[in-house]
Amino acid sequence: MRYLPTSDAIRERMLADLGLDSIDELFSHIPEYCRLARPLDIPTGRSEAEILQFFRAAAADNAPGFTSFLGAGAYYHFRPSHLDNLIGRGEWFTAYTPYQPEISQGTLQSIFEFQTMICQLTGQEVANAGMYDGSTALDEACMMAARVTGRDGLVVARSVHPQYREVLATLTQHRNFPIEEVGYQPDGRLDLAALRAAVTPRTAAVAVQSPNFFGSLEDWEEAATIAHAQGALLVAVIAEPVSLGLLPPPAAADIVAMELQGFGIPVGFGGPYAGILATREKFVRSMPGRLVGEARDSQGRRGFVLTLSTREQHIRREKATSNICTNQALCALMASIFMATYGRQGLRELARQNYAKAAYAAGACAAAGLEVLFPAPRFHEFVVKPRRPVAALRAACTQEKIIPGFAVQPHYPELGEAVLVCVTETVARPDIDRLVQLLAGK
Amino acid sequence: MQTPSVGTRASRHIVQNEALLFEVSSPGKRGYQLPALDVPEAQPAQTRDDIPDFPELSELEVVRHFTRLSTWNYGVDTGIYPLGSCTMKYNARINELVTRLEGLGDGHPLQSEELSRGALRIMRLLSQYLLEITGMDAITLQPAAGAQGELTGIMLVRAALHARGDARRKVLIPDSAHGTNPATAAIAGYQVENLKSNANGTVDMASLERQMTGEVAALMLTNPNTLGIFEEDIHRIADLVHERGGMLYMDGANMNALVGRSRPGDFGVDVMHLNLHKTFSTPHGGGGPGSGPVAIQRELEPYLPVPVLVERNGSPALDYDRPHSIGRVRAFYGNFGMFTRALAYIMANGSDGLKQTTEDAVLNANYIRKKLEGAFALPYPTPSMHEVVFSDSLQAPRGVHTGDIAKRLIDYGFHPYTVSFPLVVRGALMIEPTESANQAEMDEFIAAMRAIAAEAETSPELVTGAPYSTKISRLDETAAARNPVLRWRRTQAAAGF
Amino acid sequence: MAYPNDYRYTSEHEWVAPQGGQARIGITDFAQKQLGDIVFVELPAVGAELVAGQAFGTVESVKAVSEVFAPVSGKVTAVNAALAQSPELINTDPHGNAWMVAVELSDPAQAGKLMDRAAYEKFVAEEEASH
């Protein structure tokens, strides 16, 4: 087997060195009923060519080369070509967690930079080195709010991503945290009056997403005011980090739970992605996840090190803030390279292009007589009612290698046969025009 | 510089200094170019303020920055990476290639099933192979990492016991367990009870007899355990847990000792997680991503997270109609990019390669054990499998501890082993070479370790002051924790790096 | 470091210094040596009720965290604010300036049942020997 850096001759010598006749002796202490007496029912080792053949066939069955208007929590953006090239360096992607700082300054410094950029973008004071994804970041944020406030009530906007809400319900079910959902108004935005009614002195966290699942922009300040009036914390949920290039950041929030995928992480059929938590400095000891801090060595040289580790499972064990160990470091590195490449001007221009493309598309839909459900302002998604049922729309689009968007009815039955369309900088105008025609039944 | 006395591995190499992105940034520099906007400009009424200190660099400067930073790291590509319990094995490049194929790397999780047949086929085949390897009945690929797999598994146990009308309060965990185990049990709402190990380093049966009561939902076991020792009483353990109405959870972190040789499903495990980033070679990436599939016995199937991969008309499909499911543990289907990598690994190895891999991993660990015995104290006489745990008790009287030895190892050109874990061994040195270590390199590692043991005897301060050859040495972690500085600010001086 | 004569001690290495109906509470020199450099202390608020034997706070070093258990029952009347700024006081002056809380004792006789200095020194010697 070509990965194994040895040979039968070397194996024999090593066994002899150990005074053993065969490798079986190293397994003989395993009770007989535990031993597998036959080969695994798996084909024998394949060559690279055969492996590639299998995966190419699978890839071909998976809509390669389609123009996609899908968003809904996973977004297509141009990934700079040096990104994969850089993270492909063995010192990045074959390295371990930086527990030994002297031999991991690369990883540690890049995480420190990452934490800084996230703070700059979100308007928060500290950020951790990542959670699994946006959905679990929301769960961790709510648990953190519960710890900080000593309360257990959760109030969540219904316009938060449906899968995020499912994950929150799943991961909190045994704690019996009361979760109340607050609806949206006819304009697609959070019903603030309903929110005011739902938040009580028992509420630990109020979770609001912006841009919300429909693409509409929420008012962070208003939500924060309502939450704080009852001593609850505002958890700002962000599923599309690219939006922070243009939109006012949730500086009024107490905790930000954000999905990083839009920042250069491949859409890749759903994962791996990465989530982050960002918060105020005063809450840092309640925050889960790894944190990198600056430090000096015996000669006064600056370095970086994992710090405040006593929050984490490997020290606090059953009293830890979370059980998280492995996070999504390589994905966070992709995001760092993405943010550094686009930079201060580029993130703004990127976000503006997304905004403009979606505004154009929504306008074109309206001009074609289609019902665009919710008005501006939005970021890069909007909900539209096609002229024919979704199934028929999909079939027509597939013929032209187009994916029109996400059918929202299973999660929002009240919206009927509507489609959530996402338009990013990756889609050219002629393709947008063609989509509008298909939506209009042509 | 305090030159190591033996070894040809460590030599001098120019170490670049590289400041923080914000310190090398300069206004007006650009690293990107977007296509010209082909629709009318538009902007919302309210936009954010500019961020004065956000980086601005050219593409070349970005490349140099991240290249230089990378040279301060050590990877599996660099050399033997003997971290115990992490299974730092070779990350094959074919895995990267297949993951990025058009259609896979850019597939959207919300595409219709008709347009996702390839992805579903990959998930189905990986599931089949993992079930064959573990000997279990069903599997979910959704958990994002081992710890999330643990939580999912314990939640499945909880659901099953509730369905039996027998909700219980406690989970038993050996004192040698990884910290995620008790953290997981506590987060799942269970009271954690410690189970003592015996003098062999394995589960003390008398303690288990006493503690395995009708209040205990599950025993969370790692097998082989974190000492690298196989639980030879596993049959009695599983029987006892089952007799008393509980379930046996296995932490699959150490599967690199078992694949092709032994199957947890055959020795009584009810539920277990796998770490694709350990046993199945998906890259560690500096701390993730991982992937923690959970394999189960039939009884737990109704409770699996949604969606469940099923067969429909001869094709793989997703089933959302699961009334007893615990729900969804993360958005979408799991870390799909890890599924492609793990599947490519299994295909490249095949049944023969997987078994050979396990055997090489165990042979390597025993080789190191034999050659370091005497120089370092071995707390347990029991046979080791894929990892070996020593203690620093021979060096401690000279004031040299496991952390010091680990740091001195860096001067010899190696990444340290795992320090101070498991907690049952005072001053632990946990070494897992994996199958990805060749004999020559292991011999160099052994020579280095023996040299450091000698240094600990004759000049302990040499060891306690190490490392000397690195960019920084012995950071003041106390000061860093007392006054945490967790981000860069313009007011901070960049002096003295 | 000498253990004060008029203090009482627990097997979890806390000390209590009773003065009439009040007492100060802290952790001992042995405890701080075990923990290493202290980086953070978590203490209850004034008014909190302490129950003998139950944890009322935590002490953290870089690599470890330890719960602090109440040696006696009582109501917290004062919390040592200096520890928030200078947790290292626990390392340098564990029996004096690094007191953690002052309490109003529920039962002034309770402290007397704990180990006195001689008993605690013996206990510590046994602990050190077993390592």
Side-chain angles (χ1 to χ4, degrees):
Chain A
M1 203 282 140
R2 65 181 179 284
Y3 300 162
L4 299 173
T6 185
S7 65
D8 285 337
I10 296 174
R11 289 183 183 106
E12 273 171 40
R13 277 205 307 273
M14 283 173 68
L15 282 169
D17 206 331
L18 295 178
L20 300 170
D21 287 320
S22 102
I23 190 73
D24 290 329
E25 290 182 55
L26 288 175
F27 290 86
S28 60
H29 65 287
I30 298 182
E32 194 150 352
Y33 67 88
C34 291
R35 289 186 229 153
L36 186 62
R38 58 166 176 82
L40 287 168
D41 186 10
I42 288 174
T44 53
R46 302 286 101 153
S47 67
E48 289 202 345
E50 291 160 291
I51 295 170
L52 262 171
Q53 191 175 42
F54 169 83
F55 279 94
R56 281 207 176 105
D61 265 353
N62 226 50
F66 273 51
T67 300
S68 178
F69 291 88
L70 277 171
Y75 302 104
Y76 289 103
H77 295 292
F78 288 120
R79 301 177 66 238
S81 58
H82 53 279
L83 207 154
D84 277 345
N85 197 271
L86 282 168
I87 61 135
R89 290 178 69 89
E91 299 95 324
W92 284 125
F93 95 100
T94 73
Y96 186 62
T97 308
Y99 288 127
Q100 290 284 359
E102 284 87 352
I103 203 166
S104 324
Q105 283 300 294
T107 298
L108 289 164
Q109 178 163 326
S110 77
I111 296 175
F112 186 79
E113 294 172 342
F114 172 83
Q115 287 170 189
T116 304
M117 287 190 281
I118 297 297
C119 287
Q120 290 172 321
L121 284 170
T122 59
Q124 295 290 322
E125 292 169 344
V126 312
N128 70 8
M131 313 254 76
Y132 304 133
D133 71 344
S135 70
T136 53
L138 170 59
D139 168 68
E140 295 274 15
C142 290
M143 293 303 96
M144 185 178 149
R147 278 195 297 277
V148 166
T149 59
R151 306 174 178 187
D152 65 354
L154 303 175
V155 174
V156 182
R158 212 169 144 243
S159 48
V160 167
H161 196 301
Q163 292 201 13
Y164 286 29
R165 287 182 283 124
E166 278 177 60
V167 169
L168 181 62
T170 301
L171 298 180
T172 56
Q173 62 188 279
H174 52 277
R175 311 271 297 258
N176 292 316
F177 277 35
I179 302 180
E180 197 174 325
E181 285 194 345
V182 171
Y184 53 91
Q185 292 169 116
D187 69 353
R189 303 170 79 211
L190 178 61
D191 184 345
L192 291 170
L195 181 66
R196 222 169 264 120
V199 178
T200 71
R202 193 182 172 182
T203 308
V206 171
V208 176
Q209 178 179 328
S210 182
N212 68 21
F213 187 71
F214 308 132
S216 303
L217 304 185
E218 302 283 11
D219 188 331
W220 296 124
E221 304 285 337
E222 280 272 21
T225 304
I226 294 172
H228 295 155
Q230 296 285 2
L233 301 188
L234 176 63
V235 172
V237 181
I238 301 177
E240 170 57 295
V242 169
S243 66
L244 287 176
L246 186 63
L247 303 176
D254 301 284
I255 309 172
V256 175
M258 184 164 85
E259 171 60 65
L260 275 182
Q261 179 275 322
F263 275 166
I265 299 170
V267 175
F269 208 71
Y273 294 164
I276 59 101
L277 289 184
T279 188
R280 323 283 190 164
E281 223 164 293
K282 64 183 175 184
F283 297 139
V284 73
R285 286 195 147 79
S286 294
M287 183 160 76
R290 298 195 181 119
L291 282 169
V292 171
E294 191 179 292
R296 299 264 155 193
D297 76 350
S298 46
Q299 293 175 52
R301 295 176 293 195
R302 179 180 72 184
F304 301 96
V305 69
L306 288 176
T307 191
L308 300 185
S309 313
T310 47
R311 295 161 305 117
E312 300 185 69
Q313 50 76 28
H314 58 292
I315 291 175
R316 213 176 270 252
R317 296 173 74 90
E318 63 263 26
K319 297 208 162 61
T321 50
S322 163
N323 71 344
I324 193 167
C325 180
T326 294
N327 55 10
Q328 308 287 121
L330 196 66
C331 298
L333 179 63
M334 288 185 206
S336 274
I337 297 172
F338 186 94
M339 289 190 280
T341 300
Y342 277 94
R344 179 174 162 188
Q345 307 299 342
L347 285 182
R348 186 175 281 268
E349 192 182 326
L350 177 64
R352 275 205 349 254
Q353 284 214 0
N354 277 260
Y355 184 91
K357 296 258 192 182
Y360 170 78
C365 284
L370 290 161
E371 190 190 347
V372 175
L373 259 48
F374 308 121
R378 320 171 190 94
F379 183 56
H380 62 8
E381 291 178 283
F382 59 93
V383 183
V384 63
K385 274 230 166 83
R387 271 233 180 86
R388 47 187 154 178
V390 170
L393 172 69
R394 268 208 195 112
C397 288
T398 301
Q399 300 257 345
E400 299 186 33
K401 294 181 97 175
I402 292 176
I403 301 174
F406 181 71
V408 300
Q409 188 171 43
H411 299 290
Y412 302 94
E414 70 277 12
L415 298 180
E417 296 265 322
V419 173
L420 177 68
V421 172
C422 176
V423 191
T424 70
E425 81 285 1
T426 61
V427 186
R429 179 167 170 162
D431 292 321
I432 301 175
D433 291 338
R434 186 63 198 128
L435 174 73
V436 174
Q437 289 177 326
L438 283 159
L439 288 167
K442 304 196 187 94
Chain B
M1 189 199 93
Q2 283 73 349
T3 320
S5 55
V6 303
T8 55
R9 268 183 59 110
S11 66
R12 300 294 281 163
H13 158 76
I14 297 173
V15 178
Q16 305 275 345
N17 267 329
E18 178 71 6
L20 294 165
L21 278 172
F22 324 95
E23 294 162 338
V24 300
S25 164
S26 185
K29 288 193 177 176
R30 271 169 46 126
Y32 73 97
Q33 180 174 355
L34 285 166
L37 192 58
D38 57 4
V39 298
E41 288 274 0
Q43 196 151 271
Q46 268 196 305
T47 62
R48 72 166 303 141
D49 291 336
D50 188 25
I51 310 171
D53 290 316
F54 204 82
E56 289 175 90
L57 290 97
S58 66
E59 180 176 321
L60 173 59
E61 287 162 323
V62 171
V63 169
R64 284 192 175 142
H65 179 80
F66 288 97
T67 299
R68 288 180 190 149
L69 293 196
S70 79
T71 64
W72 306 338
N73 281 356
Y74 183 106
V76 172
D77 281 4
T78 311
I80 182 179
Y81 213 126
L83 280 178
S85 135
C86 301
T87 312
M88 303 299 291
K89 65 169 67 192
Y90 173 53
N91 309 125
R93 290 327 196 261
I94 184 79
N95 304 353
E96 302 303 306
L97 214 148
V98 302
T99 303
R100 289 174 170 83
L101 289 172
E102 196 189 7
L104 295 180
D106 59 355
H108 196 289
L110 299 175
Q111 277 166 208
S112 64
E113 262 179 40
E114 302 80 63
L115 297 178
S116 308
R117 294 268 178 249
L120 295 176
R121 272 217 307 283
I122 287 168
M123 288 171 65
R124 178 179 60 182
L125 191 56
L126 177 65
S127 299
Q128 279 169 12
Y129 287 165
L130 293 178
L131 287 175
E132 170 62 7
I133 285 166
T134 56
M136 306 293 277
D137 296 330
I139 190 166
T140 173
L141 301 178
Q142 204 180 75
Q148 220 203 18
E150 290 172 32
L151 182 59
T152 303
I154 293 296
M155 288 175 71
L156 291 174
V157 167
R158 181 190 193 89
L161 291 178
H162 268 267
R164 284 185 193 171
D166 186 14
R168 297 172 169 215
R169 301 188 300 116
K170 294 187 188 175
V171 167
L172 290 183
I173 300 179
D175 45 15
S176 56
H178 192 275
T180 49
N181 290 178
T184 293
I187 283 164
Y190 286 105
Q191 190 186 319
V192 173
E193 198 174 288
N194 226 357
L195 190 60
K196 277 203 157 17
S197 307
N198 57 27
N200 286 334
T202 48
V203 166
D204 179 46
M205 288 308 296
S207 295
L208 184 62
E209 263 285 337
R210 241 184 1 258
Q211 291 176 259
M212 184 60 219
T213 67
E215 299 231 290
V216 174
L219 167 64
M220 286 180 89
L221 210 61
T222 310
N223 192 25
N225 65 19
T226 55
L227 295 159
I229 299 171
F230 192 89
E231 293 281 354
E232 292 178 40
D233 279 328
I234 188 70
H235 205 200
R236 289 173 59 203
I237 292 170
D239 283 349
L240 182 59
V241 170
H242 293 143
E243 263 163 45
R244 308 261 173 100
M247 295 202 170
L248 183 58
Y249 180 95
M250 184 176 123
D251 180 326
N254 288 338
M255 280 296 290
N256 213 43
L258 300 184
V259 174
R261 276 273 179 173
S262 178
R263 306 195 313 169
D266 296 339
F267 55 68
V269 170
D270 298 298
V271 51
M272 64 175 290
H273 79 269
L274 293 163
N275 298 75
L276 296 188
H277 49 295
K278 295 186 179 186
T279 321
F280 297 95
S281 90
T282 74
H284 279 85
S291 178
V294 173
I296 56 169
Q297 296 287 12
R298 203 50 78 191
E299 184 189 346
L300 296 171
E301 208 177 355
Y303 316 107
L304 284 175
V306 287
V308 174
L309 197 59
V310 297
E311 287 294 304
R312 219 177 268 145
N313 307 321
S315 288
L318 296 167
D319 184 12
Y320 288 88
D321 184 15
R322 312 281 302 186
H324 302 292
S325 165
I326 56 172
R328 177 187 273 290
V329 299
R330 58 149 283 165
F332 312 126
Y333 314 109
N335 284 346
F336 184 79
M338 277 35 226
F339 306 161
T340 47
R341 292 174 168 95
L343 182 56
Y345 169 82
I346 293 170
M347 287 175 153
N349 273 281
S351 52
D352 47 337
L354 288 173
K355 183 162 180 239
Q356 186 65 74
T357 294
T358 299
E359 291 172 358
D360 282 359
V362 171
L363 177 58
N364 285 353
N366 278 274
Y367 183 77
I368 289 180
R369 173 178 165 148
K370 174 109 195 279
K371 302 285 181 170
L372 288 183
E373 248 177 309
F376 295 93
L378 205 55
Y380 296 99
T382 349
S384 302
M385 294 207 71
H386 66 310
E387 63 194 0
V388 54
V389 177
F390 292 97
S391 91
D392 62 8
S393 59
L394 294 177
Q395 288 75 27
R398 306 287 286 140
V400 173
H401 299 280
T402 175
D404 303 313
I405 299 164
K407 299 235 188 253
R408 182 59 175 152
L409 195 54
I410 297 174
D411 287 331
Y412 281 82
F414 296 94
H415 190 284
Y417 47 77
T418 297
V419 169
S420 301
F421 179 81
L423 300 173
V424 284
V425 171
R426 203 183 161 102
L429 291 74
M430 189 201 224
I431 299 171
E432 180 188 356
T434 79
E435 72 281 4
S436 300
N438 67 21
Q439 188 186 20
E441 204 163 7
M442 284 195 287
D443 285 340
E444 284 177 342
F445 172 77
I446 288 158
M449 289 291 287
R450 297 195 81 99
I452 297 168
E455 286 173 357
E457 254 316 293
T458 56
S459 33
E461 63 295 331
L462 186 63
V463 184
T464 55
Y468 305 97
S469 57
T470 50
K471 198 168 172 295
I472 46 90
S473 175
R474 305 260 177 178
L475 293 166
D476 187 350
E477 300 189 29
T478 301
R482 279 190 188 145
N483 297 300
V485 173
L486 304 171
R487 58 156 294 177
W488 173 87
R489 283 178 205 284
R490 175 154 289 287
T491 49
Q492 281 163 229
F497 61 83
Chain C
M1 195 178 289
Y3 292 104
N5 222 3
D6 49 341
Y7 287 14
R8 289 285 183 270
Y9 303 89
T10 69
S11 57
E12 297 285 350
H13 308 288
E14 291 92 14
W15 57 259
V16 54
Q19 253 184 327
Q22 308 274 330
R24 279 187 171 181
I25 294 170
I27 65 170
T28 67
D29 183 47
F30 180 81
Q32 70 82 10
K33 280 208 199 88
Q34 294 291 306
L35 284 163
D37 291 328
I38 306 295
V39 304
F40 186 73
V41 185
E42 205 175 346
L43 294 172
V46 169
E49 287 286 347
L50 263 46
V51 174
Q54 284 187 17
F56 70 89
T58 59
V59 181
E60 292 181 25
S61 62
V62 169
K63 297 275 190 257
V65 65
S66 245
E67 284 182 305
V68 189
F69 298 94
V72 291
S73 303
K75 191 182 193 142
V76 177
T77 55
V79 175
N80 188 353
L83 292 181
Q85 253 61 273
S86 314
E88 60 273 16
L89 275 173
I90 295 181
N91 298 115
T92 53
D93 193 6
H95 305 144
N97 283 322
W99 62 273
M100 292 180 168
V101 295
V103 295
E104 176 149 351
L105 295 166
S106 314
D107 174 7
Q110 216 179 13
K113 297 176 191 146
L114 299 170
M115 283 186 266
D116 65 9
R117 175 184 129 176
Y120 182 66
E121 278 174 347
K122 185 157 175 276
F123 178 71
V124 162
E126 279 160 15
E127 290 264 301
E128 277 172 338
S130 73
H131 285 122

